Amino acid sequence: MLLDSTSAWPKKLGQIILVVFGAILVAVLLVTYGAVFYGAFKHKQPPAPVGLNVVATPAPEVKKQPQVDKPIKAKTVKVYPAAVKNTIKLPEIIQDNPALDVIASNQVPADDHPQTITTLINTDTGESQTFVKRDPMPWLALDPHGEAGLYMGIKNGEPTARLEVKQGAFQVKALHFGVVGSVDQPISGVQGTDYFIGTGAWMRW
């Protein structure tokens, strides 16, 4: 049977094609995110537990450079009192070793940028000095951060509560890629609950 121009099938067929195309696109992006996430995670050093001192990873610029012996003209080296080792919660094996002393301990504000910390020692005076360099964001890096929020506002003239969850996958410079989902629930209950799940990109500042 031929369809006339007033038939709803052309419109429904277009909607079906759009939904199928959207589902395929989301699936492809999720697979891509998963592959990038796995590749980056496999080679990434896990973050240290809160409050625990761990040995820092050498900066890439010096990681493969050999260290050399250099005579120290100063008769002594400037260090902090031994009690500082307990104050900053260094491991007990370090606290109990009188030959290990603290020459520098610095706190760097949290930042999306990687940061390189370099400590110098003046062999003439025995004094040390620490520098912090804010490095450029990487071209491609893992973004394991997620966030969830509950918001109150107005949608279509109705007081509405929104629950939103966002999970990062990877980042290209300051552009983050990931998955986001949300649920909108009108407070009055007159309108139905709206859902959204998708993938995309966002900037963080």
Side-chain angles (χ1 to χ4, degrees):
M1 181 179 66
L2 296 177
L3 298 176
D4 59 35
S5 60
T6 60
S7 173
W9 274 105
K11 183 177 180 180
K12 290 184 178 180
L13 181 60
Q15 292 175 341
I16 293 174
I17 293 175
L18 184 60
V19 170
V20 171
F21 177 78
I24 293 174
L25 179 60
V26 170
V28 170
L29 289 174
L30 288 177
V31 171
T32 303
Y33 292 167
V36 173
F37 185 89
Y38 173 77
F41 179 79
K42 187 169 63 173
H43 302 288
K44 184 177 178 66
Q45 182 180 6
V50 175
L52 181 65
N53 285 281
V54 298
V55 177
T57 301
E61 294 86 350
V62 302
K63 191 172 185 179
K64 296 183 179 180
Q65 297 294 326
Q67 290 185 317
V68 297
D69 295 324
K70 183 175 181 180
I72 297 179
K73 296 179 181 179
K75 294 181 179 180
T76 59
V77 176
K78 301 292 185 181
V79 300
Y80 288 97
V84 169
K85 293 192 288 186
N86 177 62
T87 304
I88 58 180
K89 308 301 181 184
L90 287 171
E92 289 187 7
I93 190 172
I94 294 178
Q95 296 185 37
D96 296 339
N97 190 339
L100 296 176
D101 290 292
V102 177
I103 61 172
S105 182
N106 305 89
Q107 189 176 71
V108 180
D111 195 337
D112 281 348
H113 287 256
Q115 301 185 61
T116 299
I117 301 175
T118 303
T119 300
L120 305 178
I121 185 167
N122 189 319
T123 57
D124 288 338
T125 65
E127 296 179 337
S128 60
Q129 191 173 19
T130 301
F131 294 86
V132 178
K133 176 169 65 75
R134 193 166 181 254
D135 297 320
M137 286 186 176
W139 278 104
L140 180 64
L142 174 70
D143 179 15
H145 301 98
E147 59 185 63
L150 181 62
Y151 311 94
M152 300 294 295
I154 303 295
K155 180 179 179 180
N156 298 330
E158 292 283 345
T160 302
R162 169 173 291 183
L163 174 63
E164 183 175 282
V165 179
K166 184 185 294 182
Q167 175 60 53
F170 66 94
Q171 68 180 83
V172 178
K173 287 294 185 179
L175 189 62
H176 296 258
F177 295 82
V179 180
V180 62
S182 64
V183 179
D184 290 350
Q185 177 60 55
I187 304 300
S188 64
V190 176
Q191 299 182 16
T193 303
D194 287 337
Y195 304 90
F196 173 82
I197 184 169
T199 181
W202 61 89
M203 300 285 290
R204 184 181 296 156
W205 59 88

